[in-house]
Amino acid sequence: NFLPACLDSICHQTLQELEIIVVDDGSKDGSGCIADEYAVKDARIRVIHQRNGHLSVARNTGLSVIKGDFVSFIDADDWIDREMLNSMYTTMVSDSLELVITGVRVEYPAENRFYCQRTDNYLKARTREEIKTLYFRLKELCLFNYAWNKLYRVSFLQANKLSFTVEPPYEDESFNMEVLMKASSIGVLPETPYHYMRYDNGSIVASYKADMLKAYEDKCNIYHRFFTHMQIPAEWVKLFLQEGWWQAYCGYVQSLYKKNAGLSRKKRLKLIEQFIYQNR
């Protein structure tokens, strides 16, 4: 339902020199046909149909065939302002950056409301200390965890063999930690051209994930390396990860009651017993 608006917003960017890769990750709702129709109308669009492998696999598929010098990831149910890619590209080139981040407009169409996640001005970081300070600022503003409000330099990703290795819902945050450990130049724009649409649908954030706790454990392993790299005190790291585990367990139990879980009461209680009560 939302893919046409997404593709229209990309096709109508003021930056026209684009390679648009659409990965149809085993969809069963007609999205693949919509993508093929757009590819007929716009020669810049390339559609890849594959078995469902989840978001990390789909993103890596796109990265494996990319020919451009820069890459941005746009979720299929979101859309972007006409100037977004040009603004990020211009900043990337003029300041010789490896990563550019922009603000986000979070929208709830059913409730007719929105709010913005953004910095007050343009920020830059080029040293490890500056990047560490920037990380905490981005976390505070809820701008770090997403992959889709960022423009990455492809040569930087390829040189450091960076790809998506953790399953949803922690794939973006884990990827960005790997990026920050390697990056030496980052810029953050104060604009909010990315429209993050929060529909009441079966998106990843609203879905049950059977391997959610395993994915969080994988993310924690990356966090350990990330905080060690940033020379953050071990005691603080311990408290931070404990708080994160508490939130992960709460999220896991809530996910057992999502529409797509399809679990009986008996099965839910068994999973809570296994992963919560029996977990030291």
Side-chain angles (χ1 to χ4, degrees), residues 98-220:
E98 294 164 337
L99 171 66
V100 174
I101 303 168
T102 194
V104 175
R105 179 178 164 120
V106 185
E107 302 188 23
Y108 294 82
E111 303 170 26
N112 194 29
R113 67 180 179 92
F114 72 90
Y115 65 91
C116 292
Q117 299 168 331
R118 60 185 295 274
T119 60
D120 293 327
N121 48 7
Y122 177 50
L123 304 176
K124 271 196 297 188
R126 292 191 180 275
T127 67
R128 181 164 61 182
E129 199 59 36
E130 288 175 346
I131 291 174
K132 180 168 70 173
T133 300
L134 182 64
Y135 161 77
F136 285 108
R137 182 65 177 143
L138 293 173
K139 285 289 286 185
E140 178 187 5
L141 296 171
C142 298
L143 290 173
F144 178 75
N145 292 7
Y146 316 132
W148 34 249
N149 67 327
K150 297 172 177 66
L151 185 70
Y152 305 86
R153 190 177 288 270
V154 171
S155 59
F156 161 74
L157 296 181
Q158 292 174 339
N160 291 286
K161 297 181 171 59
L162 294 173
S163 62
F164 292 84
T165 59
V166 176
E167 285 300 300
Y170 305 112
E171 73 291 344
D172 287 8
E173 186 177 8
S174 300
F175 178 73
N176 286 327
M177 280 190 287
E178 298 283 10
V179 168
L180 255 64
M181 279 190 277
K182 300 292 194 299
S184 59
S185 52
I186 303 170
V188 185
L189 297 169
E191 295 86 11
T192 57
Y194 192 97
H195 297 256
Y196 177 26
M197 308 302 290
R198 298 300 301 270
Y199 300 104
D200 182 18
N201 59 17
S203 67
I204 288 172
V205 261
S207 301
Y208 165 65
K209 293 287 296 178
D211 53 357
M212 179 179 173
L213 295 179
K214 172 63 169 64
Y216 187 80
E217 183 178 359
D218 292 340
K219 186 185 83 164
C220 278

Side-chain angles (χ1 to χ4, degrees), residues 261-277:
L263 301 172
S264 66
R265 180 174 183 272
K266 182 177 181 181
K267 179 63 175 177
R268 284 197 295 265
L269 291 174
K270 182 178 180 181
L271 290 171
I272 291 171
E273 176 70 24
Q274 177 184 350
F275 288 107
I276 307 299
Y277 291 121

Side-chain angles (χ1 to χ4, degrees), residues 41-53:
K41 295 184 292 184
D42 193 323
R44 299 173 299 172
I45 297 177
R46 174 182 179 183
V47 183
I48 299 174
H49 301 280
Q50 65 182 30
R51 281 186 181 179
N52 180 252

